[in-house]
mmCIF file of all heavy atoms in Angstrom:
data_model
loop_
_atom_site.group_PDB
_atom_site.id
_atom_site.type_symbol
_atom_site.label_atom_id
_atom_site.label_comp_id
_atom_site.label_asym_id
_atom_site.label_seq_id
_atom_site.Cartn_x
_atom_site.Cartn_y
_atom_site.Cartn_z
ATOM 1 N N GLY A 129 228.390 -33.334 129.881
ATOM 2 C CA GLY A 129 227.700 -34.417 130.566
ATOM 3 C C GLY A 129 228.617 -35.555 130.977
ATOM 4 O O GLY A 129 228.197 -36.727 131.019
ATOM 5 N N LEU A 130 229.856 -35.240 131.296
ATOM 6 C CA LEU A 130 230.790 -36.281 131.704
ATOM 7 C C LEU A 130 230.419 -36.827 133.087
ATOM 8 O O LEU A 130 229.824 -36.130 133.906
ATOM 9 C CB LEU A 130 232.229 -35.743 131.731
ATOM 10 C CG LEU A 130 232.800 -35.321 130.378
ATOM 11 C CD1 LEU A 130 234.205 -34.755 130.555
ATOM 12 C CD2 LEU A 130 232.820 -36.494 129.405
ATOM 13 N N HIS A 131 230.782 -38.073 133.312
ATOM 14 C CA HIS A 131 230.551 -38.736 134.605
ATOM 15 C C HIS A 131 231.750 -38.577 135.526
ATOM 16 O O HIS A 131 231.600 -38.465 136.747
ATOM 17 C CB HIS A 131 230.279 -40.225 134.357
ATOM 18 C CG HIS A 131 230.246 -41.047 135.608
ATOM 19 N ND1 HIS A 131 229.253 -40.936 136.545
ATOM 20 C CD2 HIS A 131 231.126 -41.980 136.082
ATOM 21 C CE1 HIS A 131 229.499 -41.776 137.540
ATOM 22 N NE2 HIS A 131 230.632 -42.406 137.294
ATOM 23 N N ARG A 132 232.969 -38.569 134.946
ATOM 24 C CA ARG A 132 234.195 -38.549 135.735
ATOM 25 C C ARG A 132 235.258 -37.735 134.991
ATOM 26 O O ARG A 132 235.435 -37.881 133.795
ATOM 27 C CB ARG A 132 234.683 -39.977 135.922
ATOM 28 C CG ARG A 132 235.910 -40.133 136.769
ATOM 29 C CD ARG A 132 236.163 -41.649 136.997
ATOM 30 N NE ARG A 132 237.233 -41.881 137.939
ATOM 31 C CZ ARG A 132 238.515 -41.976 137.607
ATOM 32 N NH1 ARG A 132 238.898 -41.876 136.360
ATOM 33 N NH2 ARG A 132 239.421 -42.170 138.544
ATOM 34 N N ILE A 133 235.955 -36.871 135.743
ATOM 35 C CA ILE A 133 237.045 -36.082 135.176
ATOM 36 C C ILE A 133 238.268 -36.272 136.050
ATOM 37 O O ILE A 133 238.181 -36.237 137.286
ATOM 38 C CB ILE A 133 236.671 -34.574 135.089
ATOM 39 C CG1 ILE A 133 235.463 -34.386 134.165
ATOM 40 C CG2 ILE A 133 237.865 -33.747 134.613
ATOM 41 C CD1 ILE A 133 234.955 -32.963 134.084
ATOM 42 N N VAL A 134 239.420 -36.482 135.395
ATOM 43 C CA VAL A 134 240.672 -36.669 136.134
ATOM 44 C C VAL A 134 241.635 -35.532 135.847
ATOM 45 O O VAL A 134 241.499 -34.797 134.856
ATOM 46 C CB VAL A 134 241.356 -38.019 135.748
ATOM 47 C CG1 VAL A 134 240.452 -39.190 136.070
ATOM 48 C CG2 VAL A 134 241.825 -38.034 134.319
ATOM 49 N N GLY A 135 242.597 -35.394 136.722
ATOM 50 C CA GLY A 135 243.752 -34.546 136.543
ATOM 51 C C GLY A 135 244.968 -35.405 136.843
ATOM 52 O O GLY A 135 245.034 -36.009 137.914
ATOM 53 N N ARG A 136 245.887 -35.513 135.905
ATOM 54 C CA ARG A 136 247.085 -36.342 136.075
ATOM 55 C C ARG A 136 248.297 -35.440 136.180
ATOM 56 O O ARG A 136 248.482 -34.564 135.338
ATOM 57 C CB ARG A 136 247.259 -37.305 134.889
ATOM 58 C CG ARG A 136 246.113 -38.272 134.712
ATOM 59 C CD ARG A 136 246.283 -39.195 133.517
ATOM 60 N NE ARG A 136 246.665 -38.517 132.286
ATOM 61 C CZ ARG A 136 247.794 -38.730 131.604
ATOM 62 N NH1 ARG A 136 248.672 -39.614 132.013
ATOM 63 N NH2 ARG A 136 248.053 -38.057 130.506
ATOM 64 N N ILE A 137 249.129 -35.674 137.196
ATOM 65 C CA ILE A 137 250.295 -34.807 137.390
ATOM 66 C C ILE A 137 251.540 -35.634 137.716
ATOM 67 O O ILE A 137 251.444 -36.763 138.198
ATOM 68 C CB ILE A 137 250.063 -33.777 138.510
ATOM 69 C CG1 ILE A 137 249.788 -34.477 139.854
ATOM 70 C CG2 ILE A 137 248.922 -32.832 138.149
ATOM 71 C CD1 ILE A 137 249.767 -33.542 141.046
ATOM 72 N N ASP A 138 252.682 -35.045 137.482
ATOM 73 C CA ASP A 138 253.951 -35.601 137.934
ATOM 74 C C ASP A 138 253.911 -35.560 139.461
ATOM 75 O O ASP A 138 253.498 -34.561 140.058
ATOM 76 C CB ASP A 138 255.095 -34.736 137.387
ATOM 77 C CG ASP A 138 256.469 -35.255 137.751
ATOM 78 O OD1 ASP A 138 256.773 -35.372 138.961
ATOM 79 O OD2 ASP A 138 257.256 -35.516 136.823
ATOM 80 N N GLY A 139 254.329 -36.632 140.100
ATOM 81 C CA GLY A 139 254.263 -36.730 141.554
ATOM 82 C C GLY A 139 255.038 -35.663 142.296
ATOM 83 O O GLY A 139 254.773 -35.398 143.469
ATOM 84 N N ARG A 140 255.990 -35.010 141.639
ATOM 85 C CA ARG A 140 256.790 -33.951 142.287
ATOM 86 C C ARG A 140 256.107 -32.588 142.209
ATOM 87 O O ARG A 140 256.543 -31.643 142.851
ATOM 88 C CB ARG A 140 258.158 -33.870 141.633
ATOM 89 C CG ARG A 140 258.956 -35.167 141.733
ATOM 90 C CD ARG A 140 260.159 -35.147 140.842
ATOM 91 N NE ARG A 140 259.710 -35.151 139.439
ATOM 92 C CZ ARG A 140 260.511 -35.171 138.394
ATOM 93 N NH1 ARG A 140 261.827 -35.169 138.558
ATOM 94 N NH2 ARG A 140 260.037 -35.172 137.170
ATOM 95 N N ASN A 141 255.036 -32.483 141.427
ATOM 96 C CA ASN A 141 254.402 -31.192 141.203
ATOM 97 C C ASN A 141 253.376 -30.882 142.299
ATOM 98 O O ASN A 141 252.177 -31.010 142.122
ATOM 99 C CB ASN A 141 253.737 -31.183 139.808
ATOM 100 C CG ASN A 141 253.326 -29.802 139.373
ATOM 101 O OD1 ASN A 141 253.257 -28.867 140.186
ATOM 102 N ND2 ASN A 141 253.056 -29.649 138.107
ATOM 103 N N THR A 142 253.897 -30.483 143.433
ATOM 104 C CA THR A 142 253.040 -30.245 144.598
ATOM 105 C C THR A 142 252.113 -29.023 144.402
ATOM 106 O O THR A 142 251.005 -29.015 144.943
ATOM 107 C CB THR A 142 253.882 -30.057 145.870
ATOM 108 O OG1 THR A 142 254.805 -28.977 145.667
ATOM 109 C CG2 THR A 142 254.631 -31.328 146.213
#
Side-chain angles (χ1 to χ4, degrees):
L130 295 178
H131 170 69
R132 183 173 188 271
I133 298 175
V134 300
R136 299 179 312 119
I137 61 171
D138 183 301
R140 300 167 293 181
N141 193 344
T142 57

